[in-house]
Amino acid sequence: MRIPMIAGNWKMNTTVSEAMALVKEMRPGLDRIDNVDKVICPPFVSLSAVKELLKGSSIKLGAQDLYFEEKGAYTGEISPLMLAELCQLVIIGHSERRQYFNETVELVDKKVKAAFKAGLKPILCIGETLKENEAGKTEEVLAKQLSLTASQAYNAGLVLAYEPIWAIGTGRAATGQQANQTIGFIRRHISQQCSREIAQAVRILYGGSVTAANIAEFINQPEIDGALVGGASLKTSQFLSIVEQTSSFKRGK
Ligand code: PEP
């Protein structure tokens, strides 16, 4: 039984005071919803303040990235040890990091391993560009992005987020059927790489222009265990509705 997860990626939005106001607004509604892992990922600078505001809450806190070294002369970077005092999860390999900061499969894998070593649970993002999709290369690209992910990572609770790049922040979401089909491929691939048990146990989220209006389309699909939500996670009513719909549907299953 895979517990559904809805994770909000706030990206480079909200100052510390804005983040605090948003958390205060969301917390009561989110705390009333069970049966879903609820995660918010504000910018690094707000993690400490948000952690304080989430004391006693069922909402989990995540970061949006990390560096793989524990400490040292890496100006501007944030280490897994620093994050481990503040949050439980961390998004790794988001397509914006791969695209704008040239993160490679090798670097992403180092980050995944460093996160686990510090006791953080990674949400590993994978996904293809529009060009790769149109060239029929989606499966090849996803397999490459997963090529270094070993059984140990899945067994330790790695969460995957399938995020087709053409659907992120574009308002052009995949259809539920498309996402289900691709996530089905990911599960079969993990089954071949690792084992059937591991493939059945890993949680795989969909991400890309998810809103309160289309979340049902995704969570109604058997392979999809929730969503990584960008834009809509900054709006309390949207985010609450996405979590609420996920809880109701998956509870009824
Ligand atoms: C994301 O940031 O991972 C994302 C899916 O963004 P959006 O929901 O805005 O497309």
Side-chain angles (χ1 to χ4, degrees), residues 4-166:
M5 175 183 282
I6 299 292
N9 174 15
W10 293 10
K11 310 197 190 194
M12 197 175 72
N13 294 296
T14 67
T15 61
V16 177
S17 52
E18 286 167 349
M20 290 173 74
L22 192 54
V23 171
K24 281 182 193 157
E25 195 177 69
M26 283 182 177
R27 182 183 161 162
L30 285 175
D31 269 341
R32 276 194 288 274
I33 308 170
D34 58 11
N35 197 44
V36 180
D37 269 348
K38 302 154 283 189
V39 184
I40 54 171
C41 304
F44 287 131
V45 291
S46 297
L47 287 174
S48 188
V50 170
K51 182 191 171 193
E52 287 303 307
L53 291 177
L54 291 183
K55 276 197 176 138
S57 167
S58 57
I59 303 166
K60 292 178 178 153
L61 192 53
Q64 298 174 19
D65 186 32
L66 48 60
Y67 193 57
F68 61 85
E69 295 287 358
E70 291 184 347
K71 60 180 175 179
Y74 303 100
T75 303
E77 292 297 324
I78 305 289
S79 91
L81 293 183
M82 296 170 189
L83 292 179
E85 283 190 5
L86 297 172
C87 61
Q88 299 107 304
L89 295 103
V90 56
I91 297 171
I92 295 178
H94 192 281
S95 62
E96 288 152 16
R97 304 273 344 149
R98 294 184 197 251
Q99 267 187 309
Y100 308 143
F101 303 96
N102 303 317
E103 292 202 4
T104 61
V105 174
E106 289 73 22
L107 176 61
V108 167
D109 184 59
K110 281 185 180 178
K111 291 186 172 193
V112 167
K113 291 193 171 103
F116 276 126
K117 193 170 169 214
L120 294 161
K121 185 174 283 189
I123 300 175
L124 173 61
C125 302
I126 55 173
E128 82 287 1
T129 63
L130 184 59
K131 206 167 151 205
E132 290 161 343
N133 183 286
E134 287 174 349
K137 290 190 169 156
T138 300
E139 296 188 357
E140 189 187 317
V141 169
L142 297 176
K144 167 112 201 314
Q145 289 172 340
L146 288 176
S147 58
L148 299 177
T149 311
S151 302
Q152 291 96 304
Y154 296 116
N155 284 333
L158 179 91
V159 176
L160 284 177
Y162 167 58
E163 301 206 303
I165 295 169
W166 45 271

Side-chain angles (χ1 to χ4, degrees), residues 9 11 94 96 163 167-170 207-210 228-232:
N9 174 15
K11 310 197 190 194
H94 192 281
E96 288 152 16
E163 301 206 303
I168 299 179
T170 58
S209 297
V210 168
L228 181 55
V229 185

